[in-house]
Amino acid sequence: MGLASNSPLEHENLVERIIKELQDLPGALLPILHRLQDELGFIPPALLPVIATGLNLSRAEVHGVVSFYHYFRSSPPGRNTIQICRAESCQAMGSRALEVHAQRALRCKFNQTSADGEFTLLAVYCLGNCACSPAVRVGDEVYGHVDAAKFDSLVAALSTSEVQVK
Amino acid sequence: MTAALTKIYVPRDTTACSLGADRVAVVIQQHIEKNQLPLEIVRNGSRGLYWLEPMLELETEQGRVAYGPITPDKVDEFMAAACWLRSDQHPLYLGLTEDIDYLKRQQRLTFARVGVIAPTSLEDYCQHGGFAGLRTALAMKPQAIVSCVTDSGLRGRGGAAFPTGIKWQTVLDTASPQKYIVCNADEGDSGTYSDRMIMESDPFSLLEGLIIAALAVGADRGYIYLREEYPLAEEVLNRAIDVAYANGYLGKAIAGSNFSFDLELRLGAGAYICGEETSMLESLEGKRGEVRSKPPLPAISGLFGQPTVVNNVISLATVPIILAQGAEHYQRYGAGRCRGTLPFQLAGNIKYAGLVELAFGYSLRDLLEDFGGGTRSGRPMRAVQVGGPLGAYLPESQWDTALDYEAFIEIDAVLGHGGVVAFDDTVDMSEQARFSMEFCAIESCGKCTPCRIGSVRGVELIDKICAGKAPAQNSILLEDLCYTMANASLCAMGGMTPIPVRSALEHFAEDFEVDAGPASRPSPQA
């Protein structure tokens, strides 16, 4: 995730720059949305009209695409994004229990962010790490054989809130 | 002059790294620098013996020898043993890598280089037979290339098993100034990772397959549609594409010929349905990944309305060896109408999880027992799901079925992309059936009613049956719903979701009784 500031004007400048760079690609909408989410961590709904104008699409078409794909989000994520695989291979190795544990440990449900803003918890359907289920992904790192204890130590290593409290 | 350095191989593959391979590489590098060791780290891909990862290899006069698993907590002790001086003196010594039984019993054609080479080293690739297929193809007429692929018997490895050569023939025969090659790298099936391994460990084989396909049908543009969930594959593929451009294997005048081909990597965005070819084409065009009606076939009207070859990663990565060694060589492997090999992926609750490339015709039991070694939990194995989330759950009575597309269809199952997910006796099959419907509801593109609504109703019906609410009537309704979904859905998502549901109902009926359920079972062992 980039460090672009959160001012609406800067967001607009950013998206215009991205559109200018990518608009000539055939089927440019997904590459543009990807770049935007890479930079900001999410796709601000206020930018949809700008993208629509830039690509000569309707706002409805852009909204339709953003909302179709699970990966694109319309609100900022927490500092860390944790994905827990819910698919069959991980189920066979106890991911149902891990899901329950994770939601309890972070005190939030799937698609929510923990109260301290540290963790956004997401479900994912297969990380291709099925030889070492259950699998969890944090950012671009994948972890294998994750049980409750390993999950807790992962979270502890990532968490900064304790430091901030002190 | 410095003495020659011994190569030490540390895999860089998602699963190896999920067990600490990156950390292991860092620690080894620190030891090398601190103690001036005569070693040089090579980051290879993974051989796919995942219970041994991180599996390190050392170059010796006899060949490469392996050690594993060398997890980060064992690496200091491993380095202290100085195995490069005397290789066999370590408790985790596995002998010559090539002699490891699990590898030795496989027939690695598509995966011949996987784990052997440094993935983005063009030199390594060429030294191990890379681009031999392309060289052969460049000297052939397009029709001869297509015929070679047709004659090899290769069928689409994404799961649908449609003959690759016939697809290419249709595109070749369709006149158009613009044609496309699209690689379907949206490997979304749970329990599968063979595409990921090719892309992370031998990306040039995929590129070579794409170039040959383009040459065969007369396309000058290609796309790899990669799922977002594979960040390492993205990095490795982009690097491989850059290297290929820099060395004249992509772009204008490929390998000195007058043939040009441009290739671009595109990322999906977390939609399982985009593994369906027409949905993927919509997504590549920048739209919602909604399935198209067929006809027209993508081979006639595909990406941006142009004739398009859509092939899975494994299909394309197998093309180079077919061209290099000839159709007959590939044909010799396999059984019945299934020629060649399929990379099976052992997953879930299995002791020796890994990549097993075998000729068609072995039995599922051979895979589960001889290779898999039973469950990882040590409990009895109860069910096996083959072919991803749309594949059947097979009870032990069906494990002697031959690994062959037609033999699986005969038992109302599918071989699909070769994923094999094992479950022990703690599994509740009503939960698995419910999940199949739930997954369909989450991932349906929404275009057709049987899939969009049927999956939601399916979850509700299974809940009612398991809660004891009119189970007899609701079971009839559920079967009726399955019939409708199977016959009236627009694509395989809704059309095949009934397969796992029906197999669970048929073979594990006791799990749908009211007093069954998770409470009366032993708790799963993670």
Side-chain angles (χ1 to χ4, degrees), chain A residues 43-114:
Chain A
I43 309 220
L47 297 184
L48 299 194
V50 187
I51 299 170
T53 308
L55 294 182
N56 198 21
L57 295 169
S58 72
R59 251 173 86 179
E61 283 171 307
V62 180
H63 172 76
V65 169
V66 173
S67 57
F68 181 87
Y69 295 94
H70 300 302
Y71 174 75
F72 295 132
R73 42 183 307 126
S74 297
S75 59
R79 213 174 60 83
N80 299 286
T81 299
I82 301 184
Q83 291 182 315
I84 298 182
C85 179
R86 290 193 71 218
E88 287 87 348
S89 175
C90 290
Q91 290 167 1
M93 289 303 291
S95 68
R96 284 193 177 92
L98 181 65
E99 281 172 39
V100 172
H101 173 82
Q103 297 182 68
R104 200 176 295 150
L106 300 179
R107 293 198 200 91
C108 68
K109 295 196 176 350
F110 280 121
N111 297 317
Q112 293 181 348
T113 300
S114 59

Side-chain angles (χ1 to χ4, degrees), chain B residues 219-361:
Chain B
D220 66 356
R221 244 198 121 70
Y223 293 94
I224 300 174
Y225 185 89
L226 175 69
R227 62 200 302 258
E228 185 281 329
E229 292 86 342
Y230 283 0
L232 181 58
E234 180 195 0
E235 183 205 314
V236 175
L237 275 176
N238 272 325
R239 172 88 190 119
I241 290 172
D242 287 348
V243 171
Y245 267 108
N247 288 275
Y249 286 103
L250 285 174
K252 302 225 176 302
I254 285 175
S257 70
N258 56 8
F259 164 67
S260 300
F261 180 60
D262 284 301
L263 180 64
E264 194 187 322
L265 181 70
R266 286 286 176 90
L267 276 191
Y272 176 76
I273 193 60
C274 290
E276 197 281 337
E277 61 177 1
T278 62
S279 160
M280 189 184 62
L281 295 174
E282 290 286 302
S283 184
L284 272 174
E285 292 183 8
K287 303 175 190 157
R288 294 162 64 87
E290 284 180 6
V291 171
R292 296 178 185 172
S293 305
K294 285 194 271 193
L297 294 170
I300 290 165
S301 177
L303 187 62
F304 301 110
Q306 302 303 322
T308 304
V309 168
V310 184
N311 281 154
N312 163 258
V313 172
I314 301 297
S315 310
L316 287 165
T318 303
V319 164
I321 192 173
I322 291 172
L323 267 294
Q325 311 238 7
E328 226 169 275
H329 174 262
Y330 193 73
Q331 261 275 2
R332 272 207 294 273
Y333 294 86
R337 286 171 53 206
C338 304
R339 311 313 309 176
T341 59
L342 187 66
F344 295 97
Q345 302 124 82
L346 297 184
N349 196 335
I350 196 130
K351 194 171 179 189
Y352 303 125
L355 191 287
V356 182
E357 183 176 352
L358 282 181
F360 291 93

Side-chain angles (χ1 to χ4, degrees), chain A:
Chain A
M1 202 191 307
L3 294 168
S5 109
N6 280 325
S7 92
L9 186 66
E10 291 197 26
H11 283 180
E12 215 161 295
N13 289 340
L14 173 72
V15 77
E16 273 170 1
R17 208 170 58 235
I18 293 172
I19 291 168
K20 198 177 245 177
E21 189 189 334
L22 301 176
Q23 65 186 355
D24 293 333
L25 288 177
L29 184 52
L30 261 77
I32 288 171
L33 295 175
H34 265 294
R35 182 75 68 80
L36 195 56
Q37 185 154 315
D38 286 348
E39 295 278 342
L40 297 177
F42 72 114
I43 309 220
L47 297 184
L48 299 194
V50 187
I51 299 170
T53 308
L55 294 182
N56 198 21
L57 295 169
S58 72
R59 251 173 86 179
E61 283 171 307
V62 180
H63 172 76
V65 169
V66 173
S67 57
F68 181 87
Y69 295 94
H70 300 302
Y71 174 75
F72 295 132
R73 42 183 307 126
S74 297
S75 59
R79 213 174 60 83
N80 299 286
T81 299
I82 301 184
Q83 291 182 315
I84 298 182
C85 179
R86 290 193 71 218
E88 287 87 348
S89 175
C90 290
Q91 290 167 1
M93 289 303 291
S95 68
R96 284 193 177 92
L98 181 65
E99 281 172 39
V100 172
H101 173 82
Q103 297 182 68
R104 200 176 295 150
L106 300 179
R107 293 198 200 91
C108 68
K109 295 196 176 350
F110 280 121
N111 297 317
Q112 293 181 348
T113 300
S114 59
D116 57 5
E118 281 293 321
F119 300 101
T120 295
L121 190 62
L122 298 175
V124 69
Y125 298 91
C126 199
L127 295 165
N129 202 34
C130 321
C132 295
S133 293
V136 165
R137 176 179 169 192
V138 183
D140 278 351
E141 297 290 323
V142 177
Y143 299 87
H145 294 316
V146 181
D147 55 13
K150 195 163 174 183
F151 182 85
D152 289 345
S153 63
L154 255 174
V155 167
L158 291 164
S159 187
T160 57
S161 55
E162 223 170 320
V163 182
Q164 285 167 352
V165 170
K166 282 170 193 167

